[in-house]
Amino acid sequence: MIKQISVFLENKSGRLIRIAQILGEAKINIRGLSIADTSDFGILRLIVDQPEKAVKELKDNDIMATLTDVIAIEVPDRPGGLAEVLVYLNKAGINIEYIYSLIDKPAQNAMIMMRVEQIDRALEVLENNNIPIVSSKRIYAF
Amino acid sequence: MIWNPYYEAIDREKLYTLQFLRLKQTLERVYQLVPFYRESFKQAGAEPGDIRSLDDLQKLPFTVKNDLRDNFPYGLFTVDLNEVVRIHSSSGTTGIPTVVGYTQKDLDTWAELMARTLTAGGATKESVVHIAYGYGLFTGGLGAHYGAEKIGATVVPISGGQTKRQVKMMKDLGTTLLACTPSYALFIAETMEEMDLSPKDLKLRSGVFGAEPWSENMRHVIEEKLQIDAYDIYGLSEIIGPGVSYECPAKAGLHLSEDHFIPEIIDSVTGKVLPEGEKGELVITTISKEALPMIRYRTRDITTLTSEPCACGRTHMRMKKVSGRTDDMLIIRGVNVFPSQIESILLEMGETEPHYQLVVDRVGSLDTLQVLVEVSEQMFSDHVRGLETLENKIRAEIDNLLGVTADVKLVEPKSIPRSEGKAQRVVDKRTL
């Protein structure tokens, strides 16, 4: 399981810059990100190399941030690659709450981050179907 | 026109005698029948017998809104419930509403006061009076209604909402007088423009507007747009409802019906009575009410009083347009809102120390309320839907408890400016 940082963002200019600067100054490397937004606010989801430290730094700067468990998997970087994996989860009745991708440096495979309701069950299904699950170590230390 | 020249233009010496007699009767009544008053008088070291002149009224303690709440619902009534023929109510800050009651005689008094008010605003037997104040527990609608009927005017009890239909009715029925909140009067004017109607298409000649503060500037806009005379009226349910004071054609202050109420102006900090002409908090003692007399009730409204003669011939004191409040109450679309009410809603939703801000504005002619709530650890969820659900829930609670539609917006922690650690609760951008 990977610790993702979820950050509350108001939709106004300069918010994302500030977060990037705080993490940069704390020497925290951002590995991936995605934003879900409405007209008023957004939730910024970040994968970083030091999640606990990142949350602390953000909170010290009065930014609302929490840790969320997500799963990272590798999928073959070719047409249909993602679908193959999703079918297994669908069959097992596991709902994906959100999903986004990361760029993996030796880029044969795509790296997918996903948040599901039943995280342990999802891991089990993925393992049983030999989907490569990316360890937190690999993500953080990358 | 003066509805009741005998009382409205009474010689002030005669008035003082009448006031003193009625005050004595009221004091005896509450002292004997209401434990709350008996106790508070005793604590202040004053009994009804110690009140030997109108000036002695100062010896008695104040009554505040919380006293009504502490004695909810009927604790301050001086009559049995079978004598009470009507209840009105306003929403309360902690979920306990303020309940007021009327005997038949009280309703007659109220109708008399509103007859004076509407007559001063141009109503006669021939008038068609369109009452767009809300009917129901709010005193606006029914208060104006009975006053207009007493005059013998033709009453259209349309209440609020469906503004296009209201305009159409006014046009079709030949309405001559409009009674509503000043902001609704402006909204009606805008709706008329939208409908391509000019004031010439209507027979409207005047309006009596109250239940929320408004300025001279707004009067000019309303008068210009609707081509009418616009009069300010004042009242509060704790005292009786609308009709406590009202403007006459001189439009130089609101005559306060002193044969039924004794007004004082106090320094809201020290509680000391201020000399005539000085600005302070209006305090009212009712001297003719049966069900729920109020002794030295602090209205929290800021104004000044003058007994200078008025061009209209009425002799009752005039109060200036209310210029503010001594507490943090807001009036939004005619509804009283205290920041603490919003706070209690947030507390009930599990917030331990909610940081919030109310931003009140006027867009076009209608008040808007935006509630900013800082996202806390407990509230924050990784899901957009979760946060939106939270916003909707807060909005629904505010609507449910206060009857005001609010735009609820979650904001980042510490984004609401704080002074001395406390967030600034209210930003009122309205320029009235």
Side-chain angles (χ1 to χ4, degrees), chain A residues 1-2 4 7 19 23 29 40 66 68 72 84 97 110 118:
Chain A
M1 268 183 291
I2 313 292
Q4 169 201 268
V7 185
I19 287 159
L23 296 178
N29 192 22
D40 284 348
T66 57
T68 312
E84 282 164 28
E97 293 174 19
Q118 315 98 311

Side-chain angles (χ1 to χ4, degrees), chain B residues 392-411:
Chain B
N392 288 334
K393 211 172 141 198
I394 298 172
R395 183 179 309 127
E397 273 299 299
I398 292 173
D399 197 357
N400 194 20
L401 198 71
L402 306 182
V404 172
T405 316
D407 168 28
V408 176
K409 193 178 166 198
L410 298 176
V411 297

Side-chain angles (χ1 to χ4, degrees), chain B residues 133-267:
Chain B
Y133 284 114
Y135 277 66
L137 286 173
F138 174 55
T139 50
L142 286 167
H145 184 99
Y146 281 83
E149 279 192 353
K150 190 174 177 86
I151 292 171
T154 306
V155 183
V156 186
I158 196 151
S159 197
Q162 290 186 278
T163 311
K164 279 191 178 156
R165 187 181 72 139
Q166 298 226 1
V167 172
K168 199 172 175 304
M169 290 281 271
M170 288 202 290
K171 180 174 175 280
D172 294 345
L173 300 178
T175 298
T176 57
L177 189 146
L178 171 63
C180 61
T181 61
S183 55
Y184 195 63
L186 268 186
F187 191 63
I188 284 177
E190 283 161 19
T191 306
M192 278 169 57
E193 281 166 21
E194 263 174 50
M195 295 167 73
D196 276 330
L197 287 173
S198 93
K200 288 191 198 80
D201 299 316
L202 271 66
K203 292 189 175 149
L204 209 54
R205 284 197 291 270
S206 64
V208 293
F209 306 120
E212 63 186 24
W214 52 309
S215 62
E216 277 304 317
N217 191 32
M218 196 162 164
R219 186 208 305 270
H220 293 142
V221 176
I222 293 173
E223 292 190 332
E224 179 70 32
K225 286 198 167 189
L226 289 174
Q227 291 291 304
I228 58 169
D229 280 306
Y231 299 102
D232 193 8
I233 70 173
Y234 173 84
L236 57 166
S237 62
E238 298 91 321
I239 296 304
I240 202 157
V244 173
S245 67
Y246 50 91
E247 278 186 328
C248 64
K251 293 177 192 165
L254 291 81
H255 290 282
L256 196 144
S257 280
E258 286 181 275
D259 50 336
H260 296 282
F261 312 111
I262 299 178
E264 299 169 274
I265 295 289
I266 62 158
D267 179 319

Side-chain angles (χ1 to χ4, degrees), chain B residues 69-347:
Chain B
R69 237 170 255 133
D70 291 346
N71 293 282
F72 176 84
Y74 303 130
L76 297 185
F77 285 23
T78 63
V79 294
D80 282 341
L81 216 48
N82 61 14
E83 300 286 321
V84 174
V85 297
R86 176 93 65 78
I87 292 291
H88 281 283
S89 169
S90 65
S91 67
T93 54
T94 51
I96 302 177
T98 311
V99 166
V100 298
Y102 302 77
T103 63
Q104 186 54 53
K105 183 174 164 259
D106 291 335
L107 287 185
D108 294 344
T109 302
W110 191 16
E112 155 78 19
L113 295 173
M114 276 312 291
R116 292 179 187 181
T117 301
L118 291 162
T119 304
T124 64
K125 225 175 149 339
E126 281 73 42
S127 300
V128 179
V129 178
H130 184 96
I131 299 173
Y133 284 114
Y135 277 66
L137 286 173
F138 174 55
T139 50
L142 286 167
H145 184 99
Y146 281 83
E149 279 192 353
K150 190 174 177 86
I151 292 171
T154 306
V155 183
V156 186
I158 196 151
S159 197
Q162 290 186 278
T163 311
K164 279 191 178 156
R165 187 181 72 139
Q166 298 226 1
V167 172
K168 199 172 175 304
M169 290 281 271
M170 288 202 290
K171 180 174 175 280
D172 294 345
L173 300 178
T175 298
T176 57
L177 189 146
L178 171 63
C180 61
T181 61
S183 55
Y184 195 63
L186 268 186
F187 191 63
I188 284 177
E190 283 161 19
T191 306
M192 278 169 57
E193 281 166 21
E194 263 174 50
M195 295 167 73
D196 276 330
L197 287 173
S198 93
K200 288 191 198 80
D201 299 316
L202 271 66
K203 292 189 175 149
L204 209 54
R205 284 197 291 270
S206 64
V208 293
F209 306 120
E212 63 186 24
W214 52 309
S215 62
E216 277 304 317
N217 191 32
M218 196 162 164
R219 186 208 305 270
H220 293 142
V221 176
I222 293 173
E223 292 190 332
E224 179 70 32
K225 286 198 167 189
L226 289 174
Q227 291 291 304
I228 58 169
D229 280 306
Y231 299 102
D232 193 8
I233 70 173
Y234 173 84
L236 57 166
S237 62
E238 298 91 321
I239 296 304
I240 202 157
V244 173
S245 67
Y246 50 91
E247 278 186 328
C248 64
K251 293 177 192 165
L254 291 81
H255 290 282
L256 196 144
S257 280
E258 286 181 275
D259 50 336
H260 296 282
F261 312 111
I262 299 178
E264 299 169 274
I265 295 289
I266 62 158
D267 179 319
S268 67
V269 179
T270 64
K272 286 242 157 62
V273 174
L274 297 173
E276 188 182 316
E278 279 193 39
K279 190 170 175 174
E281 180 181 335
L282 177 66
V283 170
I284 296 176
T285 300
T286 69
I287 50 174
S288 64
K289 262 176 89 189
E290 286 185 339
L292 185 61
M294 280 285 139
I295 307 302
R296 303 196 84 201
Y297 184 74
R298 293 186 64 160
T299 65
R300 303 286 170 190
D301 288 317
I302 297 167
T303 184
T304 52
L305 289 175
T306 175
S307 59
E308 290 288 307
C310 180
C312 73
R314 290 175 182 82
T315 54
H316 291 171
M317 277 200 171
R318 283 169 291 152
M319 58 181 261
K320 276 200 179 141
K321 266 178 175 295
V322 170
S323 64
R325 298 271 307 171
T326 64
D327 58 12
D328 53 5
M329 186 179 91
L330 291 161
I331 302 180
I332 298 165
R333 277 169 253 144
V335 180
N336 299 351
V337 175
F338 288 92
S340 53
Q341 290 174 306
I342 309 280
E343 183 162 320
S344 63
I345 287 170
L346 295 172
L347 283 168

Side-chain angles (χ1 to χ4, degrees), chain A residues 66-132:
Chain A
T66 57
L67 290 172
T68 312
D69 289 329
V70 294
I71 297 173
I73 52 167
E74 274 183 66
V75 301
D77 192 6
R78 57 169 166 75
L82 178 61
E84 282 164 28
V85 178
L86 296 185
V87 162
Y88 295 126
L89 294 174
N90 188 33
K91 275 187 186 157
I94 293 168
N95 278 328
I96 296 173
E97 293 174 19
Y98 53 81
I99 186 166
Y100 56 99
S101 68
L102 245 68
I103 301 300
D104 197 6
K105 277 182 189 163
Q108 296 95 357
N109 288 340
M111 203 183 286
I112 299 290
M113 313 297 306
M114 63 172 90
R115 163 83 187 160
V116 297
E117 276 163 16
Q118 315 98 311
I119 201 155
D120 293 328
R121 173 96 183 93
L123 285 169
E124 196 186 312
V125 170
L126 293 166
E127 264 167 24
N128 291 344
N129 289 287
N130 297 318
I131 306 299

